[in-house]
Amino acid sequence: MSAALGLFRLQLIDRQVDRAQTQLKEIQKSLDDNSELVELTGKIEKVQSEIDSVNQAVRTAGADTQSQQEKISQAESSLYSGQVHNPKELQDLQNDVASLKKRLDTLEERELASMTELDAAEKELGMLRASLEELKIKRESSMSVLLGSRSLLNRELEKLTEERRATLDPISMEHRNMYEQLRRSKRGVAVVEITDGSCSGCGTTLTAAMQQNARSLSQLVACPTCNRILYGA
Ligand SMILES: [Zn+2]
């Protein structure tokens, strides 16, 4: 096996490791992200507290209406009691009843408006709760898919770690260091194949001697332009 082949295989494994780790990070991010749930729960709490205050308004309006009706009954019973004879007093009582009734209309309108508002808020709450249930079900099923993918990726990583150890074993310390350094400085690509007599990393045409040396069993040959390790199949 040429010296470059060992590193080329190592790089194939390392790229799979990188990919698996990136996917694992993405999965973890999705697993941790419960922002939709938090947002919806916040909305529900807000509508719930609206409902509480509208409920209070409905009760107050109901009590006001009732007490106004009592006032009207009292005024009417005085009016029709037959005990008031003075026309001026009768007129005053009639005026009182009329103005009390007018006020009652306003109070009843207010009560109705509060009830309508309550109705709308309760409907909204119902819809939000249904959405929350739906979201929880959706999230549960996506979580189980994500957890499944995560355990597959972890198993794959274990396998890759084993493969990496075996591949790394025959590679000298010097070559390992050279490889690691290039991986860091060349965006993960330390070893490149020779294709049609050129470096597949940068396209530089390579001499026949260089190509021959790249197949050598002991030494590594670097591309004269991009400095990556050349691998000739
Ligand atoms: Zn090159």
Side-chain angles (χ1 to χ4, degrees), residues 41-57:
T41 309
K43 275 188 193 162
I44 287 175
E45 278 166 13
K46 192 165 156 259
V47 174
Q48 186 62 66
S49 93
E50 264 169 39
I51 286 176
D52 291 345
S53 71
V54 178
N55 248 324
Q56 185 56 47

Side-chain angles (χ1 to χ4, degrees), residues 5-216:
L5 176 58
L7 291 178
F8 185 72
R9 284 182 179 160
L10 185 64
Q11 181 171 274
L12 286 179
I13 295 169
D14 280 344
R15 297 184 83 169
Q16 288 180 71
V17 169
D18 289 349
R19 208 161 29 230
Q21 275 166 346
T22 306
Q23 283 174 327
L24 274 174
K25 255 184 229 157
E26 285 300 313
I27 286 174
Q28 199 54 48
K29 218 163 80 185
S30 303
L31 285 171
D32 293 341
D33 178 17
N34 64 348
S35 56
E36 268 186 296
L37 216 60
V38 170
E39 193 189 335
L40 200 47
T41 309
K43 275 188 193 162
I44 287 175
E45 278 166 13
K46 192 165 156 259
V47 174
Q48 186 62 66
S49 93
E50 264 169 39
I51 286 176
D52 291 345
S53 71
V54 178
N55 248 324
Q56 185 56 47
V58 169
R59 274 196 296 274
T60 307
D64 289 349
T65 306
Q66 203 185 346
S67 98
Q68 190 69 10
Q69 276 162 343
E70 280 159 16
K71 278 184 207 160
I72 292 169
S73 304
Q74 277 168 13
E76 280 180 334
S77 65
S78 302
L79 184 62
Y80 303 121
S81 66
Q83 287 166 353
V84 181
H85 301 291
N86 183 321
K88 169 79 175 71
E89 268 182 57
L90 280 172
Q91 188 57 54
D92 284 349
L93 266 173
Q94 266 169 355
N95 289 345
D96 283 351
V97 168
S99 92
L100 285 168
K101 281 187 172 166
K102 209 174 151 201
R103 170 83 184 135
L104 179 65
D105 283 346
T106 308
L107 290 172
E108 279 175 345
E109 270 167 33
R110 197 175 294 169
E111 188 183 3
L112 188 66
S114 294
M115 284 163 85
T116 309
E117 201 183 331
L118 182 64
D119 198 39
E122 276 173 346
K123 265 191 199 134
E124 194 189 349
L125 183 65
M127 283 193 291
L128 286 172
R129 281 189 173 146
S131 306
L132 182 66
E133 282 316 301
E134 218 173 281
L135 183 65
K136 279 181 179 168
I137 291 166
K138 218 175 82 186
R139 188 166 157 76
E140 223 164 278
S141 89
S142 79
M143 290 270 261
S144 91
V145 171
L146 289 169
L147 289 171
S149 309
R150 188 172 73 174
S151 78
L152 277 178
L153 283 167
N154 278 327
R155 238 175 295 157
E156 193 189 326
L157 272 177
E158 276 172 37
K159 218 180 84 199
L160 288 168
T161 306
E162 277 304 306
E163 278 179 42
R164 190 179 199 277
R165 198 173 301 146
T167 309
L168 199 60
D169 200 42
I171 300 171
S172 72
M173 231 28 222
E174 187 199 343
H175 289 177
R176 286 181 199 186
N177 290 339
M178 198 189 282
Y179 166 82
E180 293 297 347
Q181 212 175 341
L182 279 168
R183 278 259 299 165
R184 276 194 297 275
S185 62
K186 302 284 178 187
R187 285 186 313 252
V189 186
V191 188
V192 285
E193 276 183 281
I194 298 171
T195 30
D196 299 328
S198 305
C199 163
S200 66
C202 69
T204 297
T205 307
L206 305 161
T207 64
M210 272 180 191
Q211 295 179 48
Q212 189 49 48
N213 288 341
R215 293 186 182 89
S216 130

Side-chain angles (χ1 to χ4, degrees), residues 192 199-204 223-228 230:
V192 285
C199 163
S200 66
C202 69
T204 297
C223 166
T225 307
C226 71
N227 218 28
R228 291 183 175 98
L230 295 167

